[in-house]
Amino acid sequence: MAGNYRKKILADQGWMHAFDDVLIKPGFTNFDPNRVDISSSLGPYKFNIPIMSAAMDTVTGVEMAIQMALLGGLGVLHRNCSCEKRLEMVKKVKRARSYIVDDVATIFPNSPIHEAISKMEQLEISGLVVVDDNNKVMGILTSRDIPFDAKLKENGLVKDVMTKEVITGNSGISRIEAAKMLYKIRKEKLPIIDEEGRLVGLITNKDLKPDFPKASLDKRGRLLCALAVSPVMPRNVKERKIFEEIVEYTDIFFIDVADFYKKQDIENTKEIMETFNVQFILGNIGTFEAAEYILTKVDYDRDKFIALKAGMGSGSICSTSIQTGVGAPTLFATAQIADAIEKYDPKMGLIADGGFKNLGDLPKAFTVGANMIMTGHFFGGCVESPGFVDTIQGRKIKVYRGMGSKEARHVAGDYIVDRYSKETKTLPEGVSDYIPFVGPVEGVIEQMKTGIKNGMIYAGAKNIKEMKNVEIGIITMSGKLESEPHDLIGKW
Ligand code: XMP
């Protein structure tokens, strides 16, 4: 039965178990294993893979965010840089893949044809949308409309040769609808207009071809874009203005602090949520009480607030627990919050964040109520993560560091300092180290997908929802030793 997640792992009796302390109970597989479905959702967003890359400056920059969204998950851009840099990052992600071109090349009806020709040559495009002073679509001019007659070409006006009967689409048109329409009219280009007939975009046949059919997309077919943000309002008018622009390219803000269960952060977040029109994921928290408080005592806009993020001090680069004695292992935290969600707001999403060491840890998170998992450890060594590949004793490696490490805090600016309590400013809560270089993220994701799928097949769950019903049990140290390769001569 779903729910009672705390009971499943004895958290109701005070135990704070971690992934290594549990194993999933095998179940009856009464479905075709090829049909196991690992898709998931958070608020209005559907993800073909339930995986996110962490908002860390050695994990998710532009390249990782683009690749994660293309593969069907989500990469959360880190915030350890200036507002200007963050704006640059979200723009790049949003513009990376779009079947709707935003900055359409246009021309006026009274412009000379030769001007249109040189504009097309300069931009290396085969057509221009003809608009009036109010950006209303008047026609379309493609290379096929350019007259053969040299005189007309030199002296004629765009309006003399353009195609006047233009079929347009409305903003909000889906990729499928656009493809059908272009096929019906046997045209290459479909201008997109708003209610007043003003040009807002252009769809071309070539941009409609989906190279990544499983990509995580927004309503307009652009890649989903998420950014970590501080729970403190932008400091001055300039930053606020930049944030207003950031919002235009971002779908989800991840309020990114080590411990969100703080009155001040909770209140500041309310102000941020009221100011900026994006969706919000809040975290991290680690207990039932924290989730209960956020879900029942704070009046957040539920259209905007779509998920909570679980886990404190369990990341592979975290030292919060050893520095402060406080922590909530991700398995424990997820079960705690899942119970509160089940009780107070079953539609709320839940992300299990950090602490995953082996592929087998991933399916365990779903049995205690997670909708998605987030990891930095699996992705820090990928081609797409920021940073260089180096070599140590013949092994290729990359740097992976906690956002509370001395090294991350020493980036010029104090961007990340409010991720941690003021009192710990001088006390690092993370470490910096090397992890193996593992190649492109696509290969890593394939392995993670297989790990999750195989776990679900053994457990007898054909989707994430069913996985939440699966039983999970505590194992002893001897059970743990037995469940790993053992009693072998070599080192495995
Ligand atoms: P993994 O296990 O994937 O965990 O390395 C990644 C998650 O760890 C969190 N994080 C930190 N926590 N000190 C902490 O206590 C840090 O310096 C730190 N840096 C990252 C974060 O939630 C991330 O997703």
Side-chain angles (χ1 to χ4, degrees):
M1 200 192 71
N4 281 328
Y5 297 108
R6 285 171 298 176
K7 215 169 169 184
K8 271 185 175 179
I9 56 164
L10 306 187
D12 60 331
Q13 295 176 32
W15 287 94
M16 295 173 103
H17 285 114
F19 292 120
D20 271 353
D21 300 320
V22 295
L23 274 181
I24 301 170
K25 200 173 149 194
F28 178 41
T29 312
N30 64 354
F31 53 87
D32 175 358
N34 292 318
R35 303 200 85 95
V36 67
D37 173 15
I38 61 166
S39 68
S40 193
S41 59
L42 292 177
Y45 305 109
K46 186 159 176 348
F47 298 94
N48 279 299
I49 56 169
I51 303 171
M52 295 182 173
S53 65
M56 299 168 71
D57 62 3
T58 49
V59 178
T60 313
V62 171
E63 272 187 73
M64 182 63 81
I66 292 175
Q67 204 56 21
M68 285 298 295
L70 285 175
L71 295 171
L74 188 70
V76 185
L77 291 163
H78 73 87
R79 66 179 178 98
N80 202 15
C81 55
S82 66
C83 286
E84 288 85 351
K85 177 80 190 155
R86 280 177 248 176
L87 174 60
E88 200 184 304
M89 292 199 294
V90 295
K91 273 188 182 172
K92 283 187 179 159
V93 174
K94 229 352 143 200
R95 286 176 172 165
R97 284 266 156 157
S98 168
Y99 67 89
I100 303 183
V101 178
D102 279 329
D103 37 7
V104 189
T106 56
I107 190 105
F108 294 120
N110 286 328
S111 303
I113 296 172
H114 63 80
E115 190 184 313
I117 297 172
S118 51
K119 197 164 185 177
M120 285 198 272
E121 281 173 359
Q122 205 183 352
L123 298 172
E124 295 180 17
I125 52 174
S126 61
L128 299 167
V129 180
V130 186
V131 292
D132 68 8
D133 292 342
N134 294 318
N135 213 25
K136 281 202 175 164
V137 177
M138 308 302 290
I140 201 157
L141 183 87
T142 71
S143 44
R144 271 180 255 166
D145 298 315
I146 304 297
F148 184 69
D149 180 343
K151 237 187 190 168
L152 184 56
K153 218 162 147 180
E154 193 46 42
N155 304 321
L157 299 178
V158 166
K159 65 180 179 195
D160 303 331
V161 293
M162 69 184 188
T163 304
K164 294 188 179 107
E165 311 281 296
V166 186
I167 299 187
T168 53
N170 292 328
S171 51
I173 190 167
S174 72
R175 183 186 280 266
I176 305 275
E177 286 164 349
K180 278 188 186 157
M181 203 156 174
L182 278 171
Y183 180 73
K184 197 167 148 207
I185 59 176
R186 302 290 202 279
K187 295 271 186 229
E188 264 298 307
K189 294 181 168 57
L190 184 69
I192 303 300
I193 54 167
D194 64 12
E195 299 88 57
E196 266 96 53
R198 284 183 304 235
L199 181 71
V200 288
L202 181 74
I203 296 180
T204 69
N205 244 330
K206 82 172 166 25
D207 294 328
L208 280 174
K209 297 198 177 68
D211 302 337
F212 290 87
K214 296 203 173 293
S216 309
L217 304 174
D218 67 14
K219 277 197 206 128
R220 294 170 59 189
R222 302 171 303 175
L223 293 184
L224 272 194
C225 179
L227 174 71
V229 297
S230 151
V232 181
M233 267 299 265
R235 290 174 276 205
N236 49 47
V237 179
K238 187 177 157 225
E239 279 194 3
R240 226 178 139 123
K241 275 221 137 73
I242 297 175
F243 254 79
E244 274 158 22
E245 215 184 319
I246 285 176
V247 164
E248 289 174 32
Y249 300 91
T250 311
D251 302 284
I252 310 173
F253 274 174
F254 276 64
I255 296 286
D256 171 54
V257 280
D259 169 22
F260 183 70
Y261 192 28
K262 294 203 290 301
K263 198 163 184 288
Q264 205 179 8
D265 286 351
I266 290 172
E267 280 167 13
N268 287 344
T269 296
K270 187 155 166 51
E271 193 190 346
I272 297 174
M273 210 182 276
E274 280 163 4
T275 311
F276 299 110
N277 196 19
V278 277
Q279 245 116 13
F280 285 78
I281 290 179
L282 313 180
N284 279 17
I285 54 169
T287 61
F288 179 90
E289 292 72 23
E292 181 179 52
Y293 185 89
I294 294 164
L295 295 174
T296 61
K297 301 274 190 304
V298 196
D299 180 22
Y300 288 137
D301 178 346
R302 288 302 159 93
D303 287 336
K304 290 185 174 177
F305 169 30
I306 60 168
L308 286 164
K309 194 147 69 70
M312 287 171 67
S314 44
S316 58
I317 32 51
C318 300
S319 55
T320 298
S321 298
I322 53 164
Q323 295 281 46
T324 67
V326 181
T330 301
L331 181 88
F332 164 85
T334 307
Q336 292 270 321
I337 300 162
D339 272 349
I341 287 178
E342 182 102 339
K343 184 165 177 191
Y344 298 111
D345 189 353
K347 287 209 175 95
M348 184 60 57
L350 179 56
I351 301 157
D353 175 19
F356 301 97
K357 293 190 289 296
N358 300 302
L359 292 178
D361 294 338
L362 307 172
K364 291 175 186 174
F366 302 113
T367 67
V368 288
N371 299 96
M372 305 217 21
I373 67 99
M374 172 180 270
T375 166
H377 183 77
F378 277 80
F379 298 133
C382 292
V383 171
E384 293 82 353
S385 61
F388 302 102
V389 180
D390 213 333
T391 311
I392 292 185
Q393 292 176 346
R395 290 185 72 190
K396 286 187 172 173
I397 50 95
K398 285 187 94 165
V399 168
Y400 178 44
R401 66 185 184 202
M403 298 315 296
S405 65
K406 264 197 310 231
E407 292 78 358
R409 291 185 190 196
H410 281 171
V411 170
D414 57 354
Y415 311 116
I416 203 74
V417 100
D418 53 20
R419 200 173 185 277
Y420 302 89
S421 313
K422 275 204 179 74
E423 292 66 32
T424 68
K425 254 186 184 173
T426 50
L427 188 71
E429 284 190 36
V431 298
S432 175
D433 211 323
Y434 302 113
I435 51 173
F437 172 66
V438 289
V441 65
E442 192 171 359
V444 177
I445 288 279
E446 268 318 304
Q447 292 212 324
M448 295 173 81
K449 274 162 66 178
T450 311
I452 296 172
K453 280 184 183 173
N454 287 355
M456 289 169 63
I457 294 164
Y458 279 126
K462 64 175 177 302
N463 53 42
I464 302 277
K465 193 166 166 227
E466 284 188 11
M467 200 59 183
K468 294 184 181 181
N469 300 339
V470 164
E471 283 183 42
I472 184 166
I474 313 301
I475 54 169
T476 59
M477 182 51 90
S478 43
K480 159 116 178 69
L481 289 175
E482 196 177 290
S483 62
E484 291 170 357
H486 55 87
D487 295 313
L488 306 168
I489 291 173
K491 208 164 173 272
W492 58 280

